[in-house]
Amino acid sequence: MIRINEHYAKLQASYLFSTIAKRVNEFQAERPDASVIKLGIGDVTHGLPTACIKAMHKAIDEMAVDASFRGYGPEQGYDFLRDAIARHDFSERGISIQPEEIFVSDGAKCDTANIQELFAQDLRVAVPDPVYPVYVDTNVMAGRTANCENGRYAGLVYLDSTEANDYVPAPPSEPVDLIYLCFPNNPTGATATHLQLQAWVDYAKEHNALILFDAAYEAFIRDDSLPHSIYEIDGADEVAIEFRSFSKTAGFTGTRCAYTIVPNACRAFDTAGKSQPLRPLWNRRHTTKFNGVSYPVQRAAEAVFSAEGQAQVTALNDGYLANAALIREKMSALGYALVGGENSPYIWIKTGQDSWDFFDRLLHDAAVVTTPGAGFGTCGEGHIRISAFNSHTKVVEALDRIAKVLG
Ligand code: PLP
């Protein structure tokens, strides 16, 4: 008898963004005249940098000719891209990461989801609250939790990220084995300092734990004192895997390219307690189950690191950060406490009231879509996330409407 994976039944039925879409559709059906401005889902809105488009066109032309055609590529990514990443993102910042430690993929979402396949079933897993839902749901699917009660799965350790700790949780007092961290954070936009990350690295060493560090929003860091990578912290290469993505960095959400760093020194342990390197395991998984990112897309990603690409990407993200600054300014002026938006495209606003009610009020009275914090976890209650991913004109208009409703 073919049987289902019953762990799927534990998943919470309504996915946050489909619930939001349903409410927006109902509102649009009632008010077809309303022009809705979306500052909800974290998707970029501007076209790809021209350096990337030029590189992609050239690569497509190469694919048309037998002499330059490429079939299956290396699953881990072409050398030209792995070399460019190692140089630009790491060695130029004084971090030693070798190209062979970089695995190019089609998304940080898939990688943060798939990586847990390398680990034992009976791990103690720690996740931030609020959280990017993929970390939680994939562990539920894998059977590492019991049922969800009152918004929390029994069996997970939740790392509360609240106003009290400036939305940056410290290591827990209890031992955990696998730790998900994300900075700059989605949804809060909070960032972690060297000292805060050092505490996590020290904890991971002391407890023989592993950190999964999601740096998908690294390109939005403007404060030079903040670490862009966990490998800026001494000893992190032994205890951390890092995820990066071109999605938000360079507008690749529909183009698909990301990368995961599994350093040679990074280890986990077998049942006998013997240290085992993780890079060969991920290499095995990646080459067995993944066919590589397409050649034109990898050429487009490589172009992000050219001088032209860097200037365009910086301008692109500066534009989103200017939106974020305006959101911070206007919402603060309305009297709301908030975090994020300075080194992140997300602003996390303390509403002081039920987050779905607040969301509904902004939708119905201002025709502006935000994201209710409760959708990211119990600590998200009483907050909303506003995303800076939209045109400046629309952000200005949305904030004017919000000011009329809340002012
Ligand atoms: N990690 C975080 C924290 C995200 O917010 C997102 C997308 O919203 C991703 C990963 C997904 O990145 P990608 O588009 O590379 O799959």
Side-chain angles (χ1 to χ4, degrees):
M1 179 170 57
I2 177 69
R3 290 169 51 227
I4 59 163
N5 175 355
E6 300 207 5
H7 298 304
Y8 274 63
K10 297 175 196 160
L11 291 166
Q12 295 307 283
S14 65
Y15 180 59
L16 173 63
F17 290 104
S18 48
T19 311
I20 293 175
K22 187 166 165 278
R23 292 197 189 196
V24 173
N25 290 343
E26 283 165 3
F27 170 70
Q28 282 273 233
E30 278 165 32
R31 292 265 315 277
D33 55 309
S35 103
V36 172
I37 300 178
K38 294 188 177 168
L39 302 179
I41 195 164
D43 196 359
V44 294
T45 54
H46 294 305
L48 287 173
T50 49
C52 301
I53 291 295
K54 274 198 272 180
M56 214 180 321
H57 278 165
K58 184 166 171 283
I60 287 171
D61 288 341
E62 284 174 43
M63 295 294 269
V65 181
D66 289 357
S68 52
F69 169 79
R70 312 237 185 174
Y72 287 122
E75 291 93 344
Q76 303 92 332
Y78 285 103
D79 286 346
F80 62 77
L81 181 54
R82 297 170 95 193
D83 290 347
I85 293 168
R87 198 171 52 250
H88 176 271
D89 280 356
F90 298 102
S91 68
E92 283 174 11
R93 289 183 173 275
I95 306 165
S96 170
I97 291 291
Q98 303 310 311
E100 67 178 26
E101 298 172 307
I102 298 167
F103 294 83
V104 175
S105 78
D106 61 352
K109 181 187 194 173
C110 322
D111 286 355
T112 52
N114 292 327
I115 197 84
Q116 38 96 24
E117 218 179 275
L118 304 191
F119 309 117
Q121 189 72 11
D122 55 347
L123 296 181
R124 295 160 297 189
V125 179
V127 292
D129 180 0
V131 67
Y132 175 56
V134 174
Y135 314 151
V136 173
D137 288 358
T138 51
N139 277 287
V140 174
M141 291 168 177
R144 287 205 187 84
T145 73
N147 287 328
C148 185
E149 276 167 36
N150 301 321
R152 288 193 160 185
Y153 288 94
L156 291 183
V157 172
Y158 286 88
L159 306 167
D160 291 358
S161 312
T162 62
E163 204 178 17
N165 57 19
D166 288 329
Y167 302 95
V168 181
S173 46
E174 64 201 287
V176 293
D177 308 304
L178 188 64
I179 303 150
Y180 289 82
L181 294 179
C182 173
F183 293 108
N185 188 264
N186 177 17
T188 68
T191 48
T193 62
H194 283 85
L195 220 57
Q196 286 164 325
L197 291 186
Q198 185 72 61
W200 278 106
V201 168
D202 293 346
Y203 175 94
K205 286 198 162 177
E206 188 188 336
H207 295 275
N208 288 337
L210 185 80
I211 298 168
L212 300 177
F213 189 76
D214 188 341
Y217 296 94
E218 163 277 330
F220 293 89
I221 295 176
R222 292 293 179 273
D223 178 343
D224 290 339
S225 72
L226 292 172
H228 287 244
S229 166
I230 193 149
Y231 303 123
E232 290 179 47
I233 310 305
D234 279 346
D237 58 342
E238 272 176 57
V239 297
I241 290 174
E242 181 164 299
F243 304 91
R244 298 253 187 139
S245 175
F246 292 95
S247 281
K248 311 297 159 85
T249 308
F252 273 51
T253 53
T255 306
R256 310 305 315 145
C257 196
Y259 47 106
T260 287
I261 319 299
V262 189
N264 285 318
C266 193
R267 89 295 175 254
F269 300 87
D270 62 20
T271 39
K274 187 165 178 283
S275 173
Q276 300 286 346
L278 283 170
R279 201 199 81 86
L281 296 192
W282 185 244
N283 189 54
R284 187 61 201 260
R285 196 257 168 223
H286 204 67
T287 51
T288 303
K289 295 196 177 182
F290 185 62
N291 262 328
V293 173
S294 76
Y295 174 67
V297 168
Q298 290 195 56
R299 281 294 185 198
E302 180 194 25
V304 168
F305 300 116
S306 65
E308 190 192 353
Q310 280 296 290
Q312 291 165 0
V313 158
T314 304
L316 191 65
N317 294 332
D318 280 350
Y320 291 129
L321 284 168
N323 292 345
L326 195 66
I327 296 167
R328 280 180 62 89
E329 182 197 320
K330 299 286 179 187
M331 294 307 290
S332 300
L334 289 167
Y336 291 93
L338 49 80
V339 64
E342 287 171 312
N343 297 284
S344 144
Y346 300 126
I347 300 93
W348 187 242
I349 294 161
K350 198 169 172 212
T351 59
Q353 54 177 282
D354 181 274
S355 67
W356 277 106
D357 287 350
F358 200 85
F359 163 88
D360 279 332
R361 188 165 165 214
L362 293 184
L363 175 62
H364 286 267
D365 298 345
V368 173
V369 183
T370 56
T371 309
F376 296 104
T378 54
C379 290
E381 187 47 277
H383 295 78
I384 54 157
R385 187 190 77 176
I386 301 189
S387 154
F389 290 126
N390 213 321
S391 69
H392 195 64
T393 322
K394 285 205 172 149
V395 171
V396 170
E397 164 79 21
L399 290 166
D400 281 351
R401 292 190 204 166
I402 290 175
K404 284 196 186 98
V405 173
L406 303 177

